[in-house]
Amino acid sequence: MSALADTLARIRAEGRPALVGYLPAGFPDKQTAIDAMVAMVEGGVDIVEIGLPYSDPVMDGPTIQRAAEAALRAGMRVADVFDTVEAVAATGAPTLVMTYWNPVERVGVEAFASRLAAAGGAGLITPDLIPDEAAEWIESSTTHGLDRVFLVAPSSTDARLAMTAQASSGFLYATSVMGVTGTRTATSTAAPTLVERVKKVSDIPVGVGLGVSNGDQAAEVGAFADAVIVGSALVARLLDAGSDTATGIAAVRALAEDLRAGVERARTAPSVPTTADKGALA
C-alpha cells in the first residue's frame, strides 16, 4: 500500500474525509510557498497538492493563474518544484504534484518520475492526461511506486468512470462542476451524484475538488466524498496578503484550521441541503 493509500485508509477509519490542500510552487517566492504549505499541514491538511506553474492551463481559474504567472515571472522552474516537494514531504504529509502533461514530457516521463520519487513525492495529479494515452506514465509510476490520480467530471460516462478508476491509484479526482477552479458561493449539486456513480463501479477513494472555500462547504462535501480538495481559497490568502508574506502564511494556516474543523464534523453534522449550483465560474 502506498503512503497516500495508507493515509486515506487511516483517515477513513477515523470516520472522516481527508483534507487535501493545494498551493502552487514558487508563489509568491520559493521559500514562502514552502512555508505556506508547511503551515497548511500544521493547520490540519492531510495531503498536499503542489501545483507546477504552467503558462497555458486548461483547468485553473483566475486565482490560481495569477499565482502561477507570478511564480513563472519570478523564475520558478521544474527543478524548484522537486525542491519544494522534498521540503513539504518532510512534514510526513503525502505530497503530490498537480501538473499539466507537457512539462512532464519535456523533462522525460521516466526522468520526471525518478526525480519525483527521489524527492519523496507520492504521485501526480494530471488534469489533461487521460488513461488511454498514459501508458508511459503508468509504467514509470509503477516502477517508482508513485500514485496516479486521474480526473473525472459530471459529463463522464459510466464506462469512462470505470476505466479511469481502474487506471488510477491513491484516489480518483472528481471535478464537481464543469468549469475551472475558483471559489464559489455554493457547492455543486452534481458532485454527490458523480461520487455515487463512481462508487457503483469502483471502491477507490474519491476526492472532490472545485468550489470549496470554507469549513461549512468542506463539511458539506465531506459528507459524501472521501477527500475534500481545496485550492483557490488557499491561494487567495497569499494573493490578498501581497508582499506581507507573514500575514499570508498566517491566513493560509487559519483557513486550513477552518477547513479541518469542517471535515471533522462532516460525518456527524446534519446534512446541509445544497443550493442550486450557480455554475458559475466564480
Side-chain angles (χ1 to χ4, degrees):
M1 180 178 288
S2 70
L4 176 59
D6 185 61
T7 295
L8 288 164
R10 173 180 56 78
I11 293 170
R12 174 180 286 185
E14 294 174 2
R16 67 174 177 88
L19 176 61
V20 183
Y22 167 97
L23 285 174
F27 177 76
D29 57 72
K30 183 176 175 178
Q31 188 57 52
T32 300
I34 291 171
D35 293 344
M37 293 175 197
V38 172
M40 273 196 327
V41 175
E42 293 171 347
V45 162
D46 300 296
I47 298 163
V48 176
E49 181 185 347
I50 297 176
L52 192 156
Y54 187 58
S55 58
D56 300 297
V58 296
M59 179 178 169
D60 298 345
T63 299
I64 292 177
Q65 284 191 40
R66 282 180 58 197
E69 289 167 359
L72 291 171
R73 285 196 302 271
M76 194 68 185
R77 295 295 180 265
V78 173
D80 298 308
V81 176
F82 293 124
D83 293 342
T84 302
V85 169
E86 184 171 13
V88 176
T91 65
T95 302
L96 298 114
V97 170
M98 193 287 252
T99 180
Y100 296 97
W101 193 240
N102 188 47
V104 180
E105 287 197 319
R106 290 291 299 272
V107 172
V109 178
E110 171 61 21
F112 196 105
S114 176
R115 292 173 69 180
L116 179 59
L124 287 184
I125 299 170
T126 49
D128 63 346
L129 178 68
I130 56 176
D132 324 48
E133 299 175 356
E136 190 175 3
W137 167 232
I138 290 172
E139 180 179 350
S140 293
S141 58
T142 300
T143 298
H144 294 282
L146 298 168
D147 279 307
R148 303 180 291 272
V149 180
F150 293 109
L151 281 71
V152 293
S155 60
S156 301
T157 64
D158 289 346
R160 193 80 196 166
L161 292 180
M163 186 272 284
T164 306
Q166 178 66 30
S168 299
S169 64
F171 66 91
L172 185 65
Y173 192 126
T175 61
S176 60
V177 296
M178 301 299 292
V180 298
T181 60
T183 59
R184 293 167 170 81
T185 56
T187 56
S188 169
T189 54
T193 300
L194 178 57
V195 172
E196 184 178 5
R197 290 175 58 211
V198 173
K199 295 295 184 184
K200 289 180 178 177
V201 297
S202 174
D203 60 359
I204 190 170
V206 183
V208 171
L210 305 188
V212 175
S213 59
N214 58 52
D216 287 341
Q217 291 179 335
E220 185 179 338
V221 172
F224 60 85
D226 299 298
V228 179
I229 305 168
V230 183
S232 293
L234 289 160
V235 177
R237 297 304 191 271
L238 291 176
L239 280 167
D240 293 345
S243 60
D244 187 354
T245 56
T247 295
I249 292 170
V252 166
R253 185 194 308 272
L255 178 56
E257 292 171 347
D258 180 45
L259 294 166
R260 176 59 180 266
V263 298
E264 291 280 357
R265 64 177 180 271
R267 305 287 168 79
T268 58
S271 177
V272 179
T274 54
T275 55
D277 177 22
K278 298 186 175 179
L281 310 178

